[in-house]
Amino acid sequence: MLLYPRAELERSIAYAFPKIDTIRIESQPTRQAVQVTIRERNTYAQWCDSEGVSGTCYLLDRGGFIFEEIPTTSTSTLLITGGVSESRTNFLRTRVAPEHFADVTTFISELESLGLTVRSFAFQHDEARVYIEPGWELKVALEDDLGIIAFNLAAVLDTHHLRAALDDMLYIDMRFGERVYHKLKSSIADNEAL
């Protein structure tokens, strides 16, 4: 009979290889074998520190867990910055903004369902900057309900005919409750209130 500390072994292997999402070790006494079943994490986005100081980026899963270092950023993958204490030196096994990350992934999906392509999402303390193709910025407060912000954004884009002007958009600022501000690249005024 084979005896081993299964739970401890599963924990230590998962810790040694952060890319492992789940691991299950089962003994099969009739076959005199041990079966190890591993499920790897799927990449949701890439994460870089907010200043890009380290020059190194990481892959993270849909839960915001940083699991693999990568040498350079890829423009084909969603980029997320910030949301982790800048005092850290090792970012592996860290969760990005755990208090907000689930809401953020839902928010990004809602923006994409509006036909918007999100290039990057930057956590900045209690606010965020969402960079959207073809090169404009959406500013939001993270303590607000992001689902309501997505709903209100759809209304603003359609009601004020801004959807047709997105190629000329510089930013839309939704951090001030019911007040929404926007600025077009071609606009002379500093801010236009809706």
Side-chain angles (χ1 to χ4, degrees):
M1 178 180 278
L2 179 63
L3 297 175
Y4 58 93
R6 183 184 58 83
E8 183 181 328
L9 192 55
E10 288 172 346
R11 277 192 303 273
S12 62
I13 291 172
Y15 183 81
F17 301 98
K19 191 170 184 170
I20 295 175
D21 188 19
T22 60
I23 182 170
R24 177 91 176 133
I25 301 173
E26 298 175 291
S27 63
Q28 298 176 336
T30 58
R31 294 177 52 201
Q32 297 180 352
V34 174
Q35 179 177 341
V36 179
T37 307
I38 293 175
R39 185 169 57 113
E40 291 185 351
R41 295 179 187 279
N42 293 319
T43 301
Y44 171 72
Q46 58 188 339
W47 178 87
C48 299
D49 62 3
S50 62
E51 302 299 322
V53 174
S54 68
T56 304
C57 294
Y58 301 84
L59 297 178
L60 62 111
D61 67 8
R62 193 165 191 79
F65 183 81
I66 296 173
F67 65 88
E68 184 176 351
E69 185 176 319
I70 56 175
T72 58
T73 60
S74 166
T75 56
S76 64
T77 306
L78 173 66
L79 173 65
I80 296 179
T81 59
V84 173
S85 171
E86 296 297 325
S87 64
R88 294 186 67 98
T89 56
N90 183 3
F91 296 107
L92 282 176
R93 299 175 195 85
T94 303
R95 292 205 181 270
V96 175
E99 65 279 8
H100 298 293
F101 203 82
D103 293 333
V104 166
T105 58
T106 302
F107 180 61
I108 290 171
S109 295
E110 289 172 351
L111 293 178
E112 290 172 348
S113 72
L114 294 175
L116 303 174
T117 302
V118 178
R119 286 188 313 180
S120 66
F121 190 98
F123 288 96
Q124 297 177 332
H125 305 290
D126 59 346
E127 297 180 351
R129 305 263 194 267
V130 186
Y131 299 94
I132 299 174
E133 289 290 339
W136 60 278
E137 179 180 355
L138 174 63
K139 303 173 184 182
V140 297
L142 291 171
E143 68 263 1
D144 293 343
D145 185 321
L146 295 178
I148 291 174
I149 290 174
F151 178 82
N152 289 343
L153 177 63
V156 165
L157 291 177
D158 294 335
T159 305
H160 297 283
H161 308 291
L162 291 179
R163 194 174 294 276
L166 290 180
D167 287 343
D168 189 37
M169 188 65 62
L170 186 60
Y171 68 81
I172 295 177
D173 194 338
M174 301 186 75
R175 297 175 294 170
F176 305 104
E178 294 183 16
R179 302 286 299 172
V180 177
Y181 296 91
H182 78 282
K183 183 175 182 180
L184 299 174
K185 295 171 187 168
S186 61
S187 175
I188 296 173
D190 285 342
N191 289 319
E192 297 178 17
L194 302 179

